[in-house]
Amino acid sequence: MAVSDVRESTPGGGGKPLGIDELLERVRTKIDRIGPRQAAAAAADGALLVDIRYAALREKDGVIPGALIIERNELEWRLDPRGSHRAAEAVSHDLQVVVVCNEGYASSLAVESLHRLGLHRATDLIGGFQAWRAAGLPVEG
């Protein structure tokens, strides 16, 4: 996202920086987000679930079985199929990726970054891990 994309247009050519709520709203207009049951079905069809929560949350609440754990600060390096530090699962820009954070906020911003890397099928889980668990879907630990 260019700097001009995160500034609101104001008369006179200036612009004020967007707040995080406005930025999140703008980013989400470009993402086809999915719910917990859709995410589970996507994973069953071969999508890669990626849990970006930090270790303390995973230890406290558990993990989604089969999800790839990549903390947020490493996400782009690990999922870029052309990157020198990519995960073995990062095989193609056409890979369907479902990013999972704790409540579905950070994941939306992460997906926007993945789209800029060409991972056009990346999306995120509405409500994050907490929505997954509330839906009664499998959790380990």
Side-chain angles (χ1 to χ4, degrees):
M1 186 176 287
V3 171
S4 62
D5 292 337
V6 296
R7 292 188 179 270
E8 294 178 318
S9 184
T10 58
K16 63 179 183 175
L18 288 177
I20 189 61
D21 293 327
E22 293 87 4
L23 177 60
L24 184 62
E25 183 179 327
R26 190 172 287 183
V27 163
R28 285 182 171 168
T29 65
K30 301 172 188 172
I31 302 171
D32 291 324
R33 304 177 77 217
I34 61 176
R37 300 223 178 268
Q38 290 171 295
D45 287 340
L48 182 62
L49 293 181
V50 179
D51 186 341
I52 63 169
R53 295 174 301 142
Y54 52 89
L57 284 176
R58 295 190 313 269
E59 291 168 11
K60 176 180 158 270
D61 292 335
V63 297
I64 298 170
L68 179 63
I69 307 298
I70 303 175
E71 290 194 16
R72 176 63 189 97
N73 63 321
E74 297 180 359
L75 186 67
E76 291 83 358
W77 283 268
R78 304 288 286 145
L79 290 184
D80 180 0
R82 298 184 330 180
S84 59
H85 299 292
R86 72 180 172 275
E89 295 85 351
V91 295
S92 165
H93 283 92
D94 197 43
L95 179 66
Q96 185 179 11
V97 176
V98 180
V99 180
V100 179
C101 68
N102 196 49
E103 295 181 343
Y105 296 96
S107 57
S108 293
L109 298 175
V111 167
E112 193 274 335
S113 182
L114 294 177
H115 282 185
R116 289 206 269 160
L117 286 176
L119 293 156
H120 60 94
R121 295 181 67 205
T123 188
D124 73 323
L125 175 57
I126 299 167
F129 177 85
Q130 299 304 324
W132 177 279
R133 185 171 61 180
L137 292 165
V139 174
E140 292 178 342

